[in-house]
């Protein structure tokens, strides 16, 4: 029996199921384990709204204490995540990041004034536009030599 897997870039990979049966079982078991550890994970709900002078990301992250949620800018990307903690060898904790949302930041965003707040169970990330988007105007003096 042959199994056809299509990769994200559109390539087809043919696997002979008999030889790869153990691999398929391991992948399915891993997915099942990750889903059921600590009672499973509820899917976060994320919404991006465009306003006249800013973007607003709204995220509801059920079952996660707001104290554990992180909002960071890494290079030109905004990331919202929290760490899942698993018991490793000798009961030492293993931290695995669970990304809730990632958003590429365009030049029209004022990186320095991004802010976040939490109210009524919803994380709000405010991404204001900079002066280039909102109508920057400057008179340039011409110097004469």
């Amino acid at each position: 029996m042959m199994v056809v897997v299509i990769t994200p870039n559109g390539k087809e990979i043919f696997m002979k199921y008999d030889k790869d049966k153990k691999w398929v079982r391991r992948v399915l078991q891993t997915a099942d384990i990750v889903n059921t550890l600590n009672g499973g994970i509820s899917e976060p709900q994320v919404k991006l709204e465009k306003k006249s002078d800013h973007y607003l990301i709204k995220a509801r992250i059920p079952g996660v204490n707001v104290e554990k949620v992180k909002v960071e800018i890494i290079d030109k990307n905004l990331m919202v995540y929290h760490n899942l903690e698993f018991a490793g060898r000798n009961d030492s904790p293993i931290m695995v990041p669970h990304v809730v949302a990632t958003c590429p930041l365009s030049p029209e965003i004022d990186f320095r004034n991004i802010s976040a707040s939490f109210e009524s169970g919803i994380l709000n990330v405010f991404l204001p536009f900079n002066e280039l988007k909102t109508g920057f105007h400057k008179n340039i003096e011409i110097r004469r030599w």
Side-chain angles (χ1 to χ4, degrees), residues 61-73:
I61 312 167
V64 177
N65 184 338
V66 69
E67 303 298 323
K68 296 189 180 225
V69 176
K70 308 276 187 214
V71 179
E72 293 184 11
I73 298 172

Side-chain angles (χ1 to χ4, degrees), residues 17 23 28 35-37 68 121 125:
Y17 185 70
W23 179 83
L28 292 175
N35 190 42
T36 56
L37 280 174
K68 296 189 180 225
V125 182

Side-chain angles (χ1 to χ4, degrees), residues 1-3 15-22 24:
M1 181 172 155
M2 295 291 282
V3 176
M15 296 188 312
K16 190 168 181 180
Y17 185 70
D18 297 339
K19 288 184 179 179
D20 296 327
K21 189 184 279 188
K22 288 181 184 177
V24 171

Side-chain angles (χ1 to χ4, degrees), residues 55 57 72-79 102-112 114 125-128:
Y55 286 111
I57 297 173
E72 293 184 11
I73 298 172
I74 301 171
D75 292 325
K76 294 180 181 177
N77 293 296
L78 179 110
M79 293 188 66
T102 181
C103 176
L105 297 175
S106 66
E108 68 187 8
I109 301 295
D110 183 359
F111 286 42
R112 288 181 173 34
I114 293 174
V125 182
F126 178 75
L127 304 143

